[in-house]
C-alpha cells in the first residue's frame, strides 16, 4: 500500500499435478480443462467405490522447494533479470511440452484414422476434433519456435518441463524492492544481508528483522521447506557456501563435501566468457568475507545451531513478532549459496549474453552474466532431488515421464498400469534393450532395472495414505521371486561408482547420442513370457554416498550430515516437516522411476499393429523392409492406437475387462501462482513475438538481455522504516 515498489514473489509449479497444494490457485481458464479431464481434480475412490478426498491429493507435501533470491542488495542488478528470464524460459518450455492440453484424441477423430466409416459427427464432436487439431498445431509451432529462437532441443525442453512439474520454485526477484527501485545497496539505510538472527548476540536483538526484505525472506522460509537456494549479489565473481560467519572462521561446515561438489557444478555449467573466467568457488569466509546476521548461514544452520540464533525484537514498521524468529528443527537446513555474479554491480549490456542460446554453456558471444546465471539457477532446480527415468526400448525413444516420485495416481479411476507408457513387442523378440538415465545427482553409486508381471503388483503403487512412492507393498512385490533384476551392460566400473551424472566434474558416464546422458543400458529376457503378458519395468538408483563423509575440520565438531539435501539422499530414517511440507529419506536408499509397460504381442497381431501405427504416426521401430515391428509405443500421447489397446491384457488384480485407454496428459496445464506477474511477462513477450514470424531470426535488440528496472508507483524518497501502515512496502 502507499508509495513504493511491490515486493513480488513468483511460485512456479505444476498446479494440475497437485491441485490441493495451498501454495497456488488455479488459473482462470483451468476449470474448462478440469471438466475435460474425467475427474482429474475430483476425489479418489476407496476399493468399495466410496469417495476419499485424501487419495491422490497428498503428494504436494513431498514436492521439493527451491528458493531463489535476486536483489537483497538493491544496486546489484544481474540477479533479478537472470531469475525473471529463467522463469519465463521454464514456463514457456513447460507450456510447449504440455500441448496438446486434451489428454487424448477425440474418439471421433481416432475413428477416422482406423476405419473408412463416413458417418457424420455431432457439433460437439466436431468442436472437440477442431480443438484437438488446433492444439496439436500449437504444440508443433511452439516446439519449433523454442528450437529456432532459443536453441532449446527436445531433450532440453523435456528437462525444463520436468523441473516445472516436479519442483516448487519460489522466486523473489527483488527482495530489497526499495533499494532496487532507488538503485541503492541498503533498504532505507539498513543492509538486509546483516538483518538475519544468526551469529549475533542477544543484546543486538533489536538489530535483526528490521527490513521488509529480511521479513519477506523469513516468511517464505517459515512457509516452505527449502533443501536448496541461491541468493544473487554483485561486486565480485565467486560462488560462496558455508561458512560465512565469524564464529566458524577457519572451520568447514557440516556437509562440506556436498556443498563443494554442487558449487563446482554451478561454476562449470555457468562457465566463462570473453574477459570473465568461470566462477571461483569456496567458503564465504575464504572467498568473500565473514558477516554477522548473514542470510546464507541463517538459512543453513538456524534450525540446528540454536546457540547462534536470537529472537528478533525490531522497532521498525511497528515491530515484528518475536515468535517469527523461533524455528523448529526442520525450517532452516538449506544449502543457500551466495552467487557474486559480476565485478560491476550493473554490468554493460554487451556482457549480459543473449536469449538465442541460454542453455549453451560456452565461451561464445551468447554467454554472459545473465545467460550463465540462468543455467546456474536451473542446475539448482535439478539437483534438489534425484530422479530416474526410462528413456528407450529397443532404440525407440519414449516421451519423458515427467512425473513426481510420489503420488503418481493422479487420475480418478485410472491405475498406474493404465497411466504407464506402453510398448508393444513381438513375442519372438527374446532379448530387449532398455535404456534409462539418472538425474538430480552427481555420483551414481549403483543402478539397475527390475521387471516382472503387472499381475502381482498392487493397483496403486503409491501409499494410499500419504502418497509415498513406491509403497511398502509395491517394494515387497518387486523384491519377490517373480521380478528379475537386470544390471547395466555399458558401464565401465572403476572404483566404487557405476556412473556419473551430467553435472559430475569428469562429465557424464556412460553416454549415448540422444541427449539424455548419462544413458544406462541393459537387456532383459522376455522369451519366457507368453503372448498377452504385460510386464512392468522399473529403473532405480542409489546416488551420492560420498556426501556422507565428514570434512576434516568441521565446526561445530562431531556433527554428521545435517542438511536436508544430504539426508534425503542417504539417510533412510530422515524426516523433516514444516508448513505441511515434508522431506523424507528413502526406506532403502533407492530412487525409483515411473514404470513402463512391455506388452508381449502375438505373431498374428503384428500386421494390425503395423497398420495402425502407420495410420496414427505412432513412435515405432520396424525392420528395414517395414514388415516386422521391433517396438511400438501404442499409447503415445500423439500416436494412440485404440485397436491395439483393446487387446491389451489388464492386470488380474483389477478384475475388469480390457477397455480402451489413453495416455494421460502428463504435465497438465501449468499454473504459476501467488502474487505473480510472471504469467503477464511471458504473455506479453509471446504476444510481441507472435506479431512477426517467430521462425525468422529474431533481432539483436530482442535477443539481448537487459537489467532494466521496474516500479509500480513513484518512490517516495522520504520513505522510512519507522513510518507505519499506509507507507509500508
Amino acid at each position: 500500500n502507499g508509495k513504493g515498489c511491490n515486493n513480488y514473489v513468483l511460485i512456479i509449479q505444476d498446479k494440475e499435478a497437485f491441485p490441493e497444494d495451498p501454495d497456488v490457485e488455479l488459473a482462470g481458464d483451468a476449470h474448462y480443462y478440469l471438466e475435460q479431464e474425467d475427474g482429474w481434480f475430483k476425489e479418489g475412490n476407496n476399493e468399495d467405490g466410496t469417495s476419499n478426498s485424501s487419495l491422490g491429493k497428498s503428494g504436494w507435501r513431498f514436492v521439493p522447494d527451491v528458493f531463489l533470491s535476486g536483489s537483497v542488495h538493491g544496486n546489484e542488478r544481474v540477479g533479478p533479470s537472470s531469475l525473471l528470464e529463467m522463469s519465463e524460459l521454464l514456463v514457456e518450455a513447460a507450456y510447449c511440452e504440455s500441448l496438446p492440453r486434451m489428454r487424448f484424441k477425440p474418439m471421433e477423430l481416432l475413428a477416422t484414422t482406423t476405419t473408412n466409416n463416413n458417418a457424420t459427427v455431432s457439433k460437439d464432436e466436431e468442436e472437440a476434433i477442431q480443438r484437438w487439431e488446433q492444439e496439436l498445431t500449437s504444440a508443433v509451432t511452439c516446439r519449433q519456435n523454442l528450437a529456432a529462437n532459443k536453441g532449446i532441443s527436445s531433450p532440453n525442453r523435456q528437462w525444463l518441463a520436468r523441473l516445472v512439474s516436479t519442483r516448487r520454485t519460489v522466486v523473489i526477484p527483488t527482495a530489497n524492492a526499495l533499494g532496487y527501485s532507488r538503485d541503492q545497496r541498503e533498504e532505507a539505510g539498513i543492509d538486509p544481508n546483516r538483518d538475519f538472527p544468526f551469529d549475533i548476540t542477544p543484546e543486538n536483538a533489536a538489530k535483526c528483522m528490521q527490513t521488509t526484505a529480511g521479513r519477506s525472506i523469513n516468511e517464505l522460509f517459515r512457509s516452505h521447506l527449502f533443501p536448496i537456494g541461491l541468493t544473487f549479489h554483485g561486486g565480485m565473481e565467486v560462488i560462496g557456501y558455508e561458512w560465512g560467519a565469524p564464529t566458524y572462521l577457519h572451520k568447514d561446515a557440516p556437509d562440506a563435501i556436498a556443498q563443494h561438489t554442487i558449487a563446482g557444478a554451478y561454476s562449470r555449467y555457468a562457465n566463462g566468457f570473453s574477459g570473465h573466467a568461470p566462477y571461483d568457488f569456496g567458503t564465504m569466509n575464504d572467498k568473500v568475507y565473514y558477516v554477522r546476521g548473514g542470510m546464507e548461514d541463517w538459512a543453513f544452520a538456524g534450525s540446528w545451531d540454536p546457540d547462534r540464533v536470537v529472537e528478533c525484537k525490531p522497532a521498525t514498521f511497528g515491530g515484528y513478532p518475536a515468535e517469527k524468529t523461533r524455528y523448529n528443527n526442520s525450517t532452516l537446513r538449506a544449502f543457500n549459496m551466495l552467487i557474486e555474479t559480476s565485478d560491476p554491480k550493473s554490468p554493460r549490456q554487451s556482457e549480459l549474453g543473449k536469449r538465442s542460446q541460454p542453455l549453451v554453456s560456452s565461451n561464445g558471444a551468447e554467454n554472459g552474466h545473465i545467460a550463465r546465471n540462468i543455467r546456474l539457477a536451473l542446475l539448482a532446480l535439478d539437483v534438489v532431488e534425484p530422479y530416474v527415468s526410462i528413456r528407450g526400448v529397443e532404440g525407440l525413444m519414449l516421451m519423458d515421464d515427467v512425473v513426481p516420485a510420489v503420488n503418481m495416481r493422479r487420475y480418478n479411476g485410472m491405475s498406474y498400469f493404465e497411466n504407464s507408457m506402453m510398448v508393444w513387442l513381438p513375442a519372438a523378440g527374446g532379448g530387449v534393450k532398455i535404456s534409462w538415465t539418472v538425474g538430480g545427482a552427481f555420483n551414481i553409486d549403483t543402478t539397475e532395472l527390475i521387471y516382472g508381471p503387472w499381475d502381482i503388483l498392487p493397483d496403486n503403487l503409491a501409499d494410499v495414505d500419504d502418497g509415498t512412492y513406491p509403497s511398502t507393498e509395491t517394494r515387497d512385490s518387486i523384491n519377490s521371486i517373480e521380478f528379475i533384476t537386470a544390471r547395466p551392460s555399458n558401464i565401465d566400473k572403476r572404483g566404487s561408482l557405476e556412473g556419473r551424472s551430467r553435472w559430475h566434474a569428469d562429465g557424464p558416464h556412460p553416454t549415448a547420442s540422444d541427449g539424455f546422458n548419462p544413458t544406462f543400458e541393459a537387456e532383459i529376457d522376455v522369451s519366457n513370457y507368453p503372448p498377452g503378458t504385460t510386464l512392468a519395468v522399473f529403473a532405480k538408483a542409489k546416488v551420492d554416498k560420498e556426501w556422507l563423509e565428514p570434512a576434516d575440520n568441521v565446526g561445530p565438531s562431531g556433527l554428521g550430515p545435517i542438511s536436508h539435501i544430504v539426508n534425503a539422499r542417504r539417510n533412510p530414517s530422515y524426516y523433516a516437516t514444516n508448513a505441511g511440507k515434508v522431506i523424507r529419506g528413502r526406506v532403502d536408499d533407492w530412487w525409483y522411476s515411473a514404470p513402463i509397460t512391455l506388452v508381449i504381442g502375438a505373431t498374428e497381431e503384428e500386421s494390425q499393429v503395423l497398420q495402425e501405427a502407420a495410420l496414427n504416426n505412432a513412435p515405432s521401430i520396424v525392420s528395414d523392409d517395414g514388415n516386422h515391428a521391433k517396438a511400438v509405443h501404442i499409447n503415445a500421447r500423439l500416436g494412440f492406437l485404440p485397436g491395439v489397446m483393446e487387446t491389451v491384457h489388464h492386470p488380474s488384480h483389477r478384475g475388469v475387462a480390457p477397455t480402451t485407454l489413453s495416455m494421460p496428459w502428463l504435465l497438465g496445464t501449468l499454473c504459476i501462482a501467488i502474487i505473480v506477474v510472471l504469467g503477464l511477462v511471458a504473455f506479453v513477450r509471446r504476444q510481441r513475438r507472435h506479431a512477426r514470424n517467430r521462425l525468422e531470426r529474431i533481432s539483436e535488440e530482442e535477443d539481448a538481455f537487459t537489467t532494466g528496472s521496474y516500479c509500480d508507483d513513484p518512490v517516495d524518497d522520504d520513505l522510512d522504516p519507522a513510518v507505519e501502515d499506509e507507507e509500508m512496502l
Side-chain angles (χ1 to χ4, degrees):
N1 297 320
K3 296 180 180 180
C5 292
N6 289 327
N7 201 349
Y8 289 104
V9 175
L10 288 60
I11 295 184
I12 307 172
Q13 68 179 108
D14 185 347
K15 172 63 180 180
E16 299 204 9
F18 302 104
E20 296 302 300
D21 189 343
D23 251 10
V24 294
E25 298 293 338
L26 284 174
D29 62 349
H31 290 282
Y32 165 79
Y33 294 100
L34 183 156
E35 294 170 358
Q36 310 304 310
E37 296 304 326
D38 300 328
W40 207 338
F41 292 84
K42 296 177 184 177
E43 297 176 348
N45 293 325
N46 297 313
E47 292 183 2
D48 62 2
T50 59
S51 65
N52 186 332
S53 61
S54 67
L55 293 182
K57 296 186 176 182
S58 61
W60 66 267
R61 300 180 185 276
F62 307 100
V63 176
D65 290 330
V66 178
F67 174 77
L68 302 174
S69 166
S71 187
V72 170
H73 290 146
N75 61 339
E76 297 166 359
R77 317 297 283 190
V78 171
S81 294
S82 299
L83 293 179
L84 287 173
E85 294 285 348
M86 178 217 70
S87 299
E88 182 183 342
L89 181 63
L90 280 171
V91 173
E92 189 173 3
Y95 169 76
C96 287
E97 191 66 16
S98 73
L99 294 173
R101 296 184 180 188
M102 299 175 71
R103 270 169 53 187
F104 50 83
K105 294 180 182 179
M107 294 305 297
E108 297 78 15
L109 181 59
L110 289 172
T112 66
T113 61
T114 56
T115 72
N116 292 319
N117 186 355
N118 292 321
T120 60
V121 296
S122 69
K123 182 178 179 180
D124 288 344
E125 291 169 340
E126 183 178 353
E127 289 178 353
I129 293 172
Q130 291 175 350
R131 196 160 56 245
W132 164 266
E133 292 176 337
Q134 289 169 357
E135 292 200 348
L136 183 60
T137 300
S138 297
V140 173
T141 302
C142 191
R143 287 161 170 77
Q144 290 175 342
N145 288 342
L146 263 181
N149 295 342
K150 294 188 176 180
I152 305 299
S153 64
S154 290
N156 277 330
R157 185 188 70 247
Q158 294 174 358
W159 174 59
L160 294 171
R162 170 184 278 277
L163 297 184
V164 172
S165 187
T166 62
R167 276 87 171 115
R168 183 188 298 106
T169 303
V170 180
V171 183
I172 181 166
T174 55
N176 180 2
L178 181 63
Y180 184 80
S181 68
R182 292 174 171 174
D183 197 22
Q184 295 176 355
R185 174 186 174 92
E186 292 83 8
E187 180 190 296
I190 302 173
D191 189 335
N193 206 31
R194 307 296 184 271
D195 201 30
F196 292 84
F198 190 82
D199 213 18
I200 64 175
T201 58
E203 54 267 25
N204 288 318
K207 295 182 179 180
C208 58
M209 289 294 139
Q210 299 178 88
T211 62
T212 297
R215 295 180 193 182
S216 298
I217 292 169
N218 188 59
E219 292 298 332
L220 289 175
F221 272 82
R222 284 170 50 82
S223 59
H224 293 84
L225 190 59
F226 296 112
I228 200 166
L230 298 172
T231 174
F232 289 92
H233 287 256
M236 57 192 307
E237 298 184 12
V238 70
I239 298 169
Y241 52 84
E242 279 68 39
W243 288 113
T247 294
Y248 297 116
L249 191 62
H250 308 308
K251 291 286 186 179
D252 293 318
D255 301 332
I257 292 176
Q259 294 195 73
H260 184 80
T261 299
I262 294 173
Y266 288 156
S267 175
R268 290 188 297 274
Y269 193 39
N271 211 337
F273 56 99
S274 180
H276 299 268
Y279 287 129
D280 191 11
F281 57 96
T283 69
M284 289 176 286
N285 278 338
D286 289 341
K287 298 295 183 179
V288 190
Y289 46 77
Y290 65 74
V291 301
R292 297 190 184 275
M295 179 186 36
E296 298 83 8
D297 293 323
W298 164 83
F300 174 66
S303 282
W304 58 267
D305 194 3
D307 291 343
R308 306 277 81 75
V309 179
V310 302
E311 292 184 12
C312 298
K313 301 175 182 178
T316 56
F317 302 117
Y320 190 62
E323 59 268 20
K324 290 194 171 187
T325 49
R326 299 175 196 149
Y327 306 105
N328 66 29
N329 195 42
S330 300
T331 304
L332 302 173
R333 292 176 177 265
F335 283 176
N336 189 35
M337 294 193 190
L338 168 71
I339 313 299
E340 292 281 358
T341 60
S342 62
D343 291 328
K345 297 190 176 186
S346 184
R348 298 190 302 269
Q349 184 174 3
S350 61
E351 294 189 334
L352 300 180
K354 298 183 178 181
R355 294 188 178 93
S356 54
Q357 296 284 340
L359 298 188
V360 175
S361 178
S362 75
N363 291 315
E366 68 277 358
N367 202 7
H369 293 300
I370 289 179
R372 67 172 172 176
N373 283 293
I374 289 173
R375 293 193 299 276
L376 193 155
L378 291 172
L379 196 157
L381 270 65
D382 190 77
V383 302
V384 68
E385 182 176 86
Y387 55 91
V388 187
S389 175
I390 297 178
R391 297 301 312 139
V393 178
E394 284 292 283
L396 173 65
M397 301 313 297
L398 302 174
M399 187 185 306
D400 201 4
D401 53 9
V402 200
V403 176
V406 291
N407 201 25
M408 292 191 294
R409 185 188 179 186
R410 301 190 310 224
Y411 315 101
N412 190 44
M414 298 186 74
S415 67
Y416 277 78
F417 169 77
E418 293 168 313
N419 287 326
S420 67
M421 291 182 284
M422 297 187 181
V423 179
W424 188 95
L425 302 167
V432 176
K433 183 183 291 185
I434 308 292
S435 62
W436 72 98
T437 191
V438 180
F442 290 83
N443 294 331
I444 302 163
D445 302 312
T446 185
T447 185
E448 60 193 27
L449 293 179
I450 188 164
Y451 66 100
W454 269 101
D455 285 336
I456 72 167
L457 291 172
D459 182 44
N460 188 1
L461 301 184
D463 189 286
V464 296
D465 293 325
D466 64 12
T468 303
Y469 172 83
S471 65
T472 300
E473 183 182 5
T474 301
R475 288 197 307 274
D476 290 344
S477 296
I478 62 180
N479 289 327
S480 68
I481 193 172
E482 289 89 349
F483 270 71
I484 300 171
T485 298
R487 302 283 300 142
S489 59
N490 63 334
I491 60 174
D492 179 18
K493 187 172 181 179
R494 299 176 181 178
S496 60
L497 299 181
E498 292 189 349
R500 303 187 300 264
S501 83
R502 64 185 290 198
W503 310 125
H504 196 282
D506 296 329
H509 179 80
T511 61
S513 59
D514 64 10
F516 287 98
N517 288 318
T519 297
F520 298 91
E521 296 178 347
E523 186 172 280
I524 66 176
D525 184 5
V526 301
S527 60
N528 293 325
Y529 298 100
T533 303
T534 51
L535 298 176
V537 183
F538 301 82
K540 59 181 184 176
K542 294 182 180 182
V543 300
D544 295 329
K545 183 178 180 180
E546 178 189 38
W547 288 4
L548 296 176
E549 297 296 322
D552 295 331
N553 186 30
V554 173
S557 62
L559 287 179
I562 55 84
S563 67
H564 294 313
I565 201 166
V566 173
N567 279 287
R569 277 162 162 74
R570 299 302 302 218
N571 181 356
S573 62
Y574 191 70
Y575 185 90
T577 183
N578 185 60
K581 281 83 170 177
V582 175
I583 297 173
R584 293 186 297 194
R586 300 288 159 146
V587 172
D588 49 11
D589 280 341
W590 287 107
W591 295 82
Y592 289 82
S593 73
I596 68 166
T597 297
L598 301 183
V599 179
I600 310 302
T603 302
E604 57 269 22
E605 297 173 351
E606 190 169 24
S607 61
Q608 177 194 354
V609 171
L610 286 169
Q611 180 183 13
E612 205 173 343
L615 286 170
N616 290 281
N617 297 315
S620 308
I621 299 291
V622 300
S623 61
D624 292 338
D625 60 13
N627 294 326
H628 299 285
K630 297 181 179 179
V632 181
H633 190 175
I634 60 176
N635 67 341
R637 185 159 46 133
L638 305 184
F640 175 66
L641 308 184
V644 176
M645 289 299 300
E646 287 180 354
T647 69
V648 172
H649 165 71
H650 284 231
S652 58
H653 64 256
R654 288 189 56 79
V656 297
T659 57
T660 300
L661 305 180
S662 60
M663 185 64 182
W665 166 41
L666 292 172
L667 278 173
T669 307
L670 299 163
C671 174
I672 302 88
I674 21 190
I675 38 181
V676 241
V677 290
L678 176 59
L680 178 60
V681 172
F683 175 80
V684 170
R685 185 164 287 150
R686 281 199 301 271
Q687 292 298 103
R688 185 170 66 246
R689 291 174 188 169
H690 279 311
R692 61 184 181 275
N693 187 347
R694 289 193 64 183
L695 296 180
E696 296 177 356
R697 180 180 179 86
I698 55 180
S699 69
E700 286 296 316
E701 180 180 357
E702 178 71 13
D703 192 29
F705 292 123
T706 67
T707 57
S709 185
Y710 82 92
C711 190
D712 300 292
D713 298 296
V715 176
D716 185 347
D717 288 333
D718 295 328
L719 191 66
D720 185 273
V723 182
E724 299 181 23
D725 298 330
E726 69 273 12
E727 290 195 345
M728 284 179 61
L729 290 178

